[in-house]
Amino acid sequence: STGHMSTPPPPFGSTRPPGSSWPFAPHDLMNRVPHAARAGLGGLAVWYLAWPFVILLSGDIAGLLTLAVGAFSTALGQNDIPQETYLRSLYILLTVTDLAFLWLFASWLQRRGLAAAVLDFRPHRFGLETGYTGLFLMMTLVLAVAATDLLTTYTPLPSRRNGWPLPGTDPSSIWYMIPAIVLIGPYIEEVVFRGWLLPALVKRMGGWGLPILISSLMFGGLHVFVGAPVMVYTTVLGICAGLARRMTGRLWAPVLIHAANNLIATLGM
């Protein structure tokens, strides 16, 4: 149990017992994984690509379902469906597909004895971990914007930044976006990339530097359809969230960083 810890662990360097093959510090959530299940954390490498692909697929399914609802309404004689109605339906269905993905992923984790270690984002030390949230959120906002501006200025990457379409001109319509974009979406992406994928890479490779970089590049690649600047931005966000996961051993800071970043982006549209 980690409930008796009175001081935070060193953020870098090994804190595991000499000779241990389990590469996680005592405060890390991965120590909840039963010993019988630990050998399977690294797993087959195909899963490292499969779950991010399924996240992309769930968004496509939401879009297809929205088109199907529109086609059905047209077949019933309801022509000229307003664009804002279409977008509101999209965000509602995106929330539904996100929840379906979460159930599927949680079931997969449960069968492997990983659910308790991956899905729990509650803080152990609220003040400390919330402080890390503020620190790495500021790092994200400064470094990600700087990296995006630098690369789009000095490389052939397109400078256009695609945002989330707002479902209507009424400011209250933004509430249709909040569940998928600010609440459920960030949680799902963090449990996949920082809750499971990052520790799986650490288990396979040892050390944290390269796994944080690889998982962050994959996280940035998840946003390929939103545009190159967003890919760069989210890669930096992934690095900051990965560092927060490493330093706290938990998902509270990464989830809050991600959610706060998306909220800022949503309100700034």
Side-chain angles (χ1 to χ4, degrees):
S1 172
T2 58
H4 64 279
M5 289 176 58
S6 59
T7 57
F12 299 103
S14 176
T15 57
R16 65 181 187 269
S20 172
S21 62
W22 191 240
F24 302 101
H27 68 288
D28 198 286
L29 278 171
M30 284 295 112
N31 287 296
R32 292 184 180 180
V33 177
H35 285 273
R38 292 185 177 187
L41 175 61
L44 297 175
V46 66
W47 290 112
Y48 300 170
L49 296 176
W51 283 116
F53 175 77
V54 176
I55 292 178
L56 282 175
L57 185 62
S58 66
D60 292 337
I61 291 173
L64 290 173
L65 288 174
T66 305
L67 292 174
V69 170
F72 181 73
S73 299
T74 301
L76 294 178
Q78 299 179 10
N79 297 322
D80 300 324
I81 299 174
Q83 180 73 1
E84 64 181 39
T85 301
Y86 170 84
L87 289 173
R88 289 176 181 177
S89 300
L90 174 62
Y91 285 113
I92 291 171
L93 288 170
L94 186 58
T95 300
V96 173
T97 56
D98 278 349
L99 290 172
F101 172 88
L102 182 58
W103 174 83
L104 184 67
F105 186 59
S107 300
W108 182 81
L109 293 171
Q110 186 67 40
R111 291 194 298 271
R112 286 159 176 78
L114 302 174
V118 173
L119 298 176
D120 188 357
F121 77 104
R122 296 172 298 175
H124 172 59
R125 294 173 59 89
F126 178 83
L128 177 69
E129 294 173 39
T130 304
Y132 276 127
T133 298
L135 171 65
F136 283 106
L137 176 61
M138 290 301 299
M139 286 180 58
T140 297
L141 295 176
V142 173
L143 297 178
V145 170
T148 303
D149 289 344
L150 182 66
L151 290 176
T152 55
T153 300
Y154 295 103
T155 71
L157 288 175
S159 60
R160 184 169 63 92
R161 304 173 187 230
N162 299 331
W164 298 299
L166 187 67
T169 56
D170 182 356
S172 65
S173 65
I174 201 169
W175 290 106
Y176 287 87
M177 304 174 62
I178 295 297
I181 302 301
V182 179
L183 299 177
I184 303 172
Y187 173 72
I188 286 176
E189 292 179 6
E190 290 307 314
V191 298
V192 171
F193 283 93
R194 258 65 66 179
W196 166 72
L197 177 61
L198 176 56
L201 289 171
V202 170
K203 172 66 167 58
R204 179 177 286 265
M205 303 174 131
W208 284 81
L210 192 56
I212 287 176
L213 179 61
I214 292 173
S215 61
S216 300
L217 289 170
M218 293 177 67
F219 176 64
L222 183 69
H223 300 80
V224 60
F225 297 115
V226 191
V230 178
M231 289 178 62
V232 174
Y233 186 103
T234 50
T235 297
V236 177
L237 188 156
I239 291 173
C240 292
L243 289 172
R245 168 66 177 79
R246 167 67 180 97
M247 295 177 74
T248 65
R250 292 175 178 267
L251 285 177
W252 175 257
V255 170
L256 259 62
I257 292 166
H258 196 154
N261 177 83
N262 284 12
L263 179 61
I264 292 169
T266 301
L267 295 177
M269 290 193 314

